[in-house]
Amino acid sequence: LKRRHEFLKEARERANANNPREISVRDLLTQWNAKARGQRISQQVEADLANHGLVTSPSFRKVTLDAAVQLVNASSKESDIPNVESSDMDDVEELDRGLTLGNLPSALGGVMSVAPNATFEEAVTLMLLNDYSQLAVLADKDSLWGAVTWKSIAQTRHSKPSASFADAIVQADELRYDKELIDVLPALEVADFVFVRDEKKAVAGIVTTADVVHAYGELATPFFLIGELDQLLRQVISGTFKLEEVKSLCRRPPESFDDLAFGDYQGVLDNADSWTKLNWPLDRPTFVKRLDELRQLRNDIMHFNPDPVPADAVDKLRHFIRLLHKYGD
């Protein structure tokens, strides 16, 4: 805690001196002994930064773990950070935040471009060498003229063999890095790509339909497994206990078993008397510890933690589900 306080104090001094501290999101999280941006740790980071008059630019929630952010004065940057005191963190309602363009590596990873006066040969060569389907057409890092694509080149040359390169430039969507990914889908459906501007309004990257499919695909398997796990845990508890028996073990007394949440499952199964009634030949602390890991994983996925799902997450879910089938059926 003292080390974190000194870090924030020094960052505030540098921000006041117009020499902001620059740090990767990954290294920033280590100040809170965290490796990923779960909802609660992200709220804690925001609250502690706010208590020192700081925010990150760009928002640390809306870029990748390895992206660099600056710690700047909150008054110098328009921010969407909620006003939360650190001491009130346990009472904070968790806020749903979707993935943003900036959470995808390609969004701020740079963009290959050609000048407006380029040639067809230059564009085609770059696209072939890099296996790209499109290129940005930039006069400079801030001035986006549009894009050239295989389709625009083919259509232009087919309709007019003597056409100039400029004739093949098509309009391209350009969006801020903090745009919610779900709101970008209509544009991707039409064009298959969008260019991304960073917090300084420079064209900083490109996001394609394939990038978005990959991002949502990584969440799909654990998402469905968590749904199956939720159903199995509810079946075990509703099939073993009466509702009145579990009410006192839940955070909020449920009106039916359908009202139970993961935290309630954990509260019931961590109770020694309840565990005895299950008559499972398993170690309760070990079982509940893994259930708590999966509860946190569930929260990260359902609240769109922008960081990759841990490599062993799917295996842990499948093993736990298999165990419940064995002893809970």
Side-chain angles (χ1 to χ4, degrees):
L1 187 61
K2 181 178 179 181
R3 178 175 62 89
R4 185 191 310 159
H5 177 75
E6 291 299 321
F7 167 79
L8 292 170
K9 180 181 177 183
E10 186 261 349
R12 177 57 189 269
E13 291 172 352
R14 290 187 56 170
N16 288 340
N18 293 320
N19 180 31
R21 172 73 180 270
E22 186 168 288
I23 188 172
S24 72
V25 174
R26 191 184 303 276
D27 290 340
L28 177 68
L29 292 175
T30 63
Q31 298 295 327
W32 283 262
N33 299 315
K35 295 181 179 180
R37 291 168 288 186
Q39 190 70 10
R40 189 153 294 276
I41 192 63
S42 292
Q43 290 176 337
Q44 184 69 60
V45 172
E46 288 174 340
D48 289 348
L49 288 172
N51 286 339
H52 286 76
L54 297 168
V55 294
T56 63
S57 178
S59 167
F60 75 92
R61 282 185 184 254
K62 298 177 179 179
V63 294
T64 65
L65 276 174
D66 294 312
V69 297
Q70 291 186 335
L71 301 179
V72 300
N73 285 326
S75 59
S76 68
K77 181 178 183 294
E78 184 177 341
S79 173
D80 60 355
I81 293 176
N83 184 16
V84 179
E85 294 293 332
S86 295
S87 58
D88 295 333
M89 287 307 298
D90 290 338
D91 299 323
V92 171
E93 291 272 337
E94 289 190 346
L95 303 175
D96 283 326
R97 293 169 182 254
L99 294 175
T100 66
L101 280 173
N103 291 145
L104 305 184
S106 63
L108 300 175
V111 60
M112 186 164 290
S113 65
V114 291
N117 60 353
T119 64
F120 283 113
E121 290 74 20
E122 180 184 356
V124 167
T125 302
L126 281 174
M127 291 165 73
L128 287 172
L129 287 174
N130 296 281
D131 194 26
Y132 289 164
S133 298
Q134 62 282 310
L135 288 173
V137 180
L138 292 172
D140 56 52
K141 64 179 182 179
D142 298 328
S143 181
L144 179 67
W145 283 45
V148 288
T149 69
W150 286 120
K151 181 178 179 180
S152 74
I153 291 173
Q155 288 181 335
T156 299
R157 285 191 151 180
H158 176 73
S159 62
K160 184 180 179 183
S162 62
S164 68
F165 178 77
D167 295 326
I169 299 174
V170 295
Q171 183 178 357
D173 286 317
E174 45 186 294
L175 300 171
R176 275 180 55 92
Y177 77 99
D178 52 2
K179 184 78 171 177
E180 295 269 335
L181 200 54
I182 192 71
D183 295 331
V184 181
L185 299 184
L188 288 173
E189 185 178 3
V190 173
D192 288 331
F193 67 94
V194 295
F195 292 112
V196 184
R197 290 190 181 269
D198 62 19
E199 79 283 5
K200 297 179 181 178
K201 299 184 179 180
V203 178
I206 183 173
V207 166
T208 67
T209 302
D211 295 323
V212 176
V213 169
H214 178 73
Y216 282 123
E218 284 189 326
L219 292 174
T221 298
F223 179 88
F224 288 119
L225 288 175
I226 284 169
E228 182 179 356
L229 176 58
D230 178 78
Q231 185 179 41
L232 285 171
L233 287 167
R234 185 177 293 114
Q235 288 174 356
V236 166
I237 291 175
S238 64
T240 307
F241 308 100
K242 296 180 179 178
L243 186 61
E244 292 301 319
E245 293 180 275
V246 305
K247 279 187 175 182
S248 63
L249 303 175
C250 297
R251 294 174 298 177
R252 298 182 181 88
E255 295 183 5
S256 72
F257 286 108
D258 290 337
D259 295 333
L260 296 179
F262 261 74
D264 299 323
Y265 303 145
Q266 189 172 334
V268 173
L269 297 175
D270 199 22
N271 178 271
D273 292 335
S274 299
W275 185 261
T276 299
K277 191 170 182 178
L278 286 170
N279 197 30
W280 287 354
L282 302 170
D283 181 66
R284 176 170 58 89
T286 303
F287 180 94
V288 172
K289 180 180 178 182
R290 176 56 57 85
L291 178 57
D292 186 56
E293 291 178 27
L294 298 181
R295 178 188 63 81
Q296 294 179 54
L297 174 66
R298 179 263 177 203
N299 288 343
D300 284 346
I301 290 174
M302 295 304 179
H303 292 281
F304 292 100
N305 182 336
D307 302 324
V309 174
D312 60 350
V314 170
D315 284 341
K316 285 183 177 180
L317 283 164
R318 284 179 171 152
H319 296 330
F320 203 89
I321 288 170
R322 190 178 303 122
L323 184 148
L324 286 176
H325 277 302
K326 181 176 178 64
Y327 292 105
D329 290 345

